[in-house]
Amino acid sequence: MSTTPGIPAPHIPQIRLYQQWLAEHRGLHFADYDALWRWSTTDLDAFWQSIWDYFEMQSPTPHTAVLERNVMPGAKWFPGAQFNYAQQVLRHVMPAHAAGFPAIVSRNEKGRHVELSWPQLRRQVASLALHLQAQGVKPGDRVAAYLPNIPETMVAFLAVVSIGAVWSVCAPDMGTNAVLDRFRQIEPVALIACDGVTYGMKDFDRLGVVAELRAALPTVRHVILHTNLAEDPAAVDRALEAAQPCTAFSTATARYDAATAAFEPLWLPFDHPLWIVYSSGTTGLPKPIVHGHGGTVIVAMALKIIHNDVGCSYAPNSWGERYHWYSSTGWVMWNAQTSGLLNGTTCVLYDGNPGGPRDQPDWTTLWRFASELGVTFFGAGAAFFANCLKAGVDLSTCGDLSQVRALGTTGSPLSEDAQRWGTAQFAAIAANDAQRDIWWCNISGGTDFAGAFIGGNRELPQTPGRMQCRLMGCAVESWNEQGQPVIDEVGELVCAQPIPSMPLYFVGDTDNQRLLGSYFDMYPPGHGRKPGGGDLAADAGAVWRHGDWLRIHPDGSCVIYGRSDATINRHGLRMGTSELYSAVEALPEVLDSMVVDLEYLGRESYMPLFVVLRPGLTLDDPMTARINGAIRTALSPRFLPNEVLQVAEIPRTLSGKKQELPIKKLLLGQPLDKVINKEAMANPGCLDWFVDFARRRADATRI
């Protein structure tokens, strides 16, 4: 690694560099971040043009406007411009390689270590792109991938989008039905898959699933297989034989000739479809959400670099940057990790269970990985840091973490306790000023628009349990029940102005009805749509309603209180579930919890709290009293549950989110197969208990 030991990068925060550029090139000076944010959300043309210019984004043809028409949905950004995600990545090949930095560094649970140089990345992308074109894949065609978080997946993605095809990936820990619920909707012409994965030090063969996918997807004309499990030549041959007819991924990426040397990604319209991502899929068919090349990239640049403070690895100010955000390919954070390549940043991947084997949990696994590979930006889901706190992880035992200068979290609200734990841990091992008060980049956004609404600012104060600010370009507000913006109150998170990465459309969505119903149907069109505040005519469309409870504090910091459609409303007071979890899970005996508020027409509501206790503990009267006491102390007696019940596991999605809404619907009497997709779950076996509880509850309350 080429960083200077003990000196974290970057030295000057990226947001300060951007503001210096605004002053020098635009004559713009702002008294504070709030003024900068207000400019960015009221003068949309000037702000997004500044991002284009600041990052020197390229197009062979000029755009005729920045935002052609301010309408939601349907905003038209940078008409006339041409773009390609892969073009933006590959422009870094020569300077990054000349500086001696790899494009991708990867390791899995078995210790398999792979480094991909920038020229290797380019050659493999070109080879696979030409192979796909030879199979008849054209711009606009969909290519499906069933691959884990490894370098080959990034190569495949860049190859697909470089020729104008549309990428869509599912993680190989998903079963056949869950994958088909997604891929059947998009009718892919090619499938890039793996023979299996390792998780928790156990191998899982996926050749049977690949065969089932091929049989159930009649539009697939070509299959490429990556032998991820098979290692020796004989095992590789057996896997390829079992998947016939197919092409080996290693063969498809091995071409190295004049054609690969001359290959260039296609220039495409700015809003050409880039990828298809999916809603969580907990109820009904997942929504296949389409984002465009240019909008996705320009938002990623503003988020990843200016707000997340992830610099270019070969830039002097951020020399040697190594960016890691733990994810699987089933979560939009894989897309966020990949976006590091857009700025010439070395991406560091880990494929496997961050907590080690399930029978012998080890929450130092990811920290030791980060120490060995010299990670500078360390990101993970909030649940990861909570588990480290619960497990009593001591970072002083995890190797040399002196290069880490920032921690990133998302996926669920990060508790104050978890943030204080991480801050104290780094203060105890601090090798430099950056670690004496480690910076937390806590963000909240979504798959829906492949970005974040709320996040970090390296120059603002930190308050444990809060996110620092609303992001530039994102006109985020908290609205009360009357649709009025409020400060220091919990309300609906809305975005009152378009951003370039909002969905182009949903696949198969006639007249945009699913798109409108998902984000734009709560408030009347035109209401709250005037930049800076006020209403516009109905033809301006409605605000984006995200589905989260949000409090914006007077200092601009923010707290997400959970999903607004999984809210507790007790005795006239409403609260997001995350507040209750913070109180309950602060108890050392409680490993996990979930609450649902069941509202019955004509009857009093019933709110059960489900808890997972440490092994060997049983929920008795004293333990129940401790749990209720924690809720009473931290929140209010109004939010005491009607009943506390011990369970073995809390139902979670593959990306780790608690399944509050499906369990709520199940307990309200809806059938299991109508409210939850087992194959979109991380632990479907735990549902039997909840089904039995719902039956017993229904029998007991039947009138």
Side-chain angles (χ1 to χ4, degrees):
M1 184 176 171
S2 300
T3 51
T4 303
I7 300 178
H11 307 299
I12 302 174
Q14 299 291 335
I15 196 164
R16 190 190 307 171
L17 295 176
Y18 169 66
Q19 288 184 262
Q20 290 172 353
W21 183 92
L22 285 177
E24 181 180 351
H25 294 272
R26 296 290 192 271
L28 293 171
H29 303 267
F30 300 97
D32 53 23
Y33 178 74
D34 183 68
L36 173 62
W37 175 79
R38 292 191 183 281
W39 166 74
S40 75
T41 55
T42 53
D43 195 342
L44 298 178
D45 283 24
F47 170 68
W48 289 109
Q49 182 66 55
S50 80
I51 298 298
W52 178 287
D53 294 341
Y54 181 66
F55 291 113
E56 299 178 348
M57 296 176 69
Q58 299 171 352
S59 169
T61 54
H63 49 272
T64 56
V66 175
L67 178 57
E68 190 173 61
R69 182 169 176 245
N70 186 337
V71 60
M72 289 200 293
K76 181 76 171 178
W77 294 92
F78 295 95
Q82 298 180 69
F83 207 79
N84 192 301
Y85 189 112
Q87 190 80 246
Q88 174 65 30
V89 169
L90 298 181
R91 64 190 286 188
H92 299 289
V93 169
M94 296 308 293
H97 184 61
F101 297 115
I104 304 169
V105 182
S106 173
R107 189 171 293 175
N108 69 5
E109 288 184 337
K110 295 179 177 179
R112 183 190 299 164
H113 183 89
V114 176
E115 291 201 18
L116 206 62
S117 72
W118 283 91
Q120 286 173 324
L121 175 67
R122 188 196 180 284
R123 287 198 297 269
Q124 291 188 22
V125 167
S127 177
L128 183 54
L130 292 170
H131 174 83
L132 290 169
Q133 285 182 325
Q135 305 304 315
V137 178
K138 304 182 299 297
D141 285 345
R142 286 94 183 233
V143 175
Y146 187 59
L147 295 167
N149 183 30
I150 55 178
E152 289 82 357
T153 309
M154 288 188 172
V155 169
F157 161 65
L158 292 172
V160 167
V161 305
S162 72
I163 60 173
V166 187
W167 168 264
S168 192
V169 64
C170 283
D173 51 357
M174 298 174 69
T176 307
N177 291 339
V179 177
L180 288 175
D181 281 348
R182 290 156 172 77
F183 287 168
R184 273 196 180 118
Q185 296 186 73
I186 69 170
E187 299 180 319
V189 301
L191 173 66
I192 307 174
C194 66
D195 61 339
V197 290
T198 302
Y199 193 82
M201 296 308 293
K202 293 183 179 179
D203 290 343
F204 297 90
D205 185 283
R206 286 294 182 257
L207 287 172
V209 177
V210 174
E212 291 172 334
L213 295 178
R214 185 205 297 269
L217 296 170
T219 55
V220 170
R221 304 190 303 262
H222 185 61
V223 174
I224 298 171
L225 186 76
H226 169 57
T227 48
N228 188 55
L229 279 186
E231 295 182 355
D232 63 87
V236 169
D237 289 343
R238 286 194 298 271
L240 292 170
E241 181 62 31
Q244 287 300 318
C246 71
T247 297
F249 188 91
S250 58
T251 301
T253 56
R255 183 172 175 180
Y256 183 33
D257 56 15
T260 54
F263 176 79
E264 290 290 339
L266 297 178
W267 289 108
L268 305 162
F270 186 84
D271 59 357
H272 185 85
L274 170 68
W275 58 39
I276 300 168
V277 292
Y278 303 90
S279 63
S280 62
T282 53
T283 59
L285 284 177
K287 301 187 292 285
I289 304 168
V290 183
H291 298 127
H293 275 254
T296 300
V297 170
I298 199 169
V299 167
M301 301 289 272
L303 167 63
K304 189 70 67 251
I305 302 163
I306 299 177
H307 276 288
N308 290 8
D309 205 42
V310 177
C312 170
S313 295
Y314 61 88
N317 183 63
S318 45
W319 188 261
E321 186 85 283
R322 287 196 168 199
Y323 169 56
H324 166 75
W325 201 303
Y326 176 79
S327 181
S328 79
T329 50
W331 189 21
V332 75
M333 292 313 297
W334 177 84
N335 307 65
Q337 169 77 84
T338 303
S339 71
L341 297 173
L342 291 168
N343 193 41
T345 307
T346 298
C347 291
V348 183
L349 314 181
Y350 183 80
D351 181 37
N353 187 342
R358 291 191 176 184
D359 54 348
Q360 293 182 309
D362 178 6
W363 290 97
T364 69
T365 299
L366 212 54
W367 294 110
R368 288 184 284 107
F369 156 82
S371 72
E372 292 164 8
L373 298 188
V375 167
T376 57
F377 186 106
F378 180 97
F384 168 79
F385 295 98
N387 280 315
C388 291
L389 166 64
K390 294 278 188 181
V393 168
D394 180 355
L395 294 188
S396 69
T397 68
C398 297
D400 180 8
L401 290 166
S402 62
Q403 297 299 319
V404 177
R405 48 89 190 168
L407 302 174
T409 70
T410 191
S412 57
L414 180 71
S415 71
E416 287 188 39
D417 287 345
Q419 184 163 341
R420 292 185 193 280
W421 167 84
T423 299
Q425 286 286 318
F426 272 93
I429 64 169
N432 46 64
D433 288 342
Q435 294 187 329
R436 291 185 183 93
D437 184 19
I438 194 78
W439 180 59
W440 289 83
C441 181
N442 304 328
I443 67 173
S444 181
T447 301
D448 317 74
F449 63 102
F453 281 142
I454 302 165
N457 179 333
R458 188 83 190 201
E459 306 253 82
L460 291 178
Q462 298 189 91
T463 302
R466 297 188 194 175
M467 290 165 281
Q468 290 175 293
C469 62
R470 293 173 280 182
L471 300 192
M472 289 185 297
C474 300
V476 169
E477 297 176 339
S478 175
W479 281 14
N480 63 17
E481 292 181 352
Q482 290 73 45
Q484 300 166 332
V486 293
I487 297 294
D488 215 17
E489 295 179 26
V490 177
E492 286 279 355
L493 190 164
V494 304
C495 187
Q497 300 299 330
I499 62 173
S501 64
M502 284 178 176
L504 301 176
Y505 54 87
F506 294 170
V507 175
D509 183 17
T510 305
D511 299 327
N512 271 350
Q513 290 308 300
R514 291 187 76 191
L515 178 66
L516 290 166
S518 297
Y519 311 114
F520 298 104
D521 68 347
M522 185 165 181
Y523 300 101
H527 177 75
R529 284 282 289 110
K530 188 176 181 180
D535 299 339
L536 291 176
D539 62 3
V543 301
W544 173 290
R545 178 242 181 183
H546 196 56
D548 281 338
W549 287 127
L550 168 68
R551 181 196 296 268
I552 303 169
H553 289 269
D555 65 356
S557 64
C558 298
V559 178
I560 295 287
Y561 290 93
R563 296 294 294 174
S564 58
D565 44 11
T567 303
I568 300 169
N569 188 353
R570 304 284 279 175
H571 315 290
L573 292 181
R574 61 182 183 176
M575 181 192 69
T577 54
S578 67
E579 285 189 279
L580 190 143
Y581 298 145
S582 294
V584 171
E585 293 172 20
L587 297 172
E589 299 91 342
V590 180
L591 294 179
D592 206 357
S593 64
M594 183 176 72
V595 66
V596 292
D597 189 7
L598 307 180
E599 298 172 346
Y600 297 86
L601 188 62
R603 282 186 277 169
E604 289 186 7
S605 68
Y606 167 70
M607 189 176 83
L609 171 65
F610 307 101
V611 296
V612 179
L613 301 182
R614 287 192 177 279
L617 296 183
T618 301
L619 183 69
D620 53 17
D621 289 344
M623 187 69 242
T624 300
R626 276 177 54 76
I627 291 171
N628 284 331
I631 296 171
R632 184 182 291 109
T633 300
L635 304 177
S636 161
R638 294 172 182 256
F639 295 107
L640 291 178
N642 295 89
E643 192 172 7
V644 182
L645 302 123
Q646 185 175 2
V647 296
E649 292 182 273
I650 297 301
R652 289 183 178 270
T653 65
L654 288 170
S655 60
K657 294 182 179 178
K658 300 181 186 188
Q659 299 264 48
E660 296 165 322
L661 283 177
I663 296 302
K664 178 176 181 176
K665 292 178 180 179
L666 174 69
L667 298 181
L668 286 172
Q670 297 186 37
L672 180 68
D673 60 350
K674 298 296 184 184
V675 301
I676 202 161
N677 181 347
K678 289 185 178 182
E679 293 192 359
M681 290 185 62
N683 53 352
C686 72
L687 289 176
D688 291 343
W689 187 94
F690 288 89
V691 170
D692 182 65
F693 176 73
R695 179 188 55 77
R696 289 186 280 112
R697 174 75 189 164
D699 290 343
T701 57
R702 188 170 288 116
I703 298 176

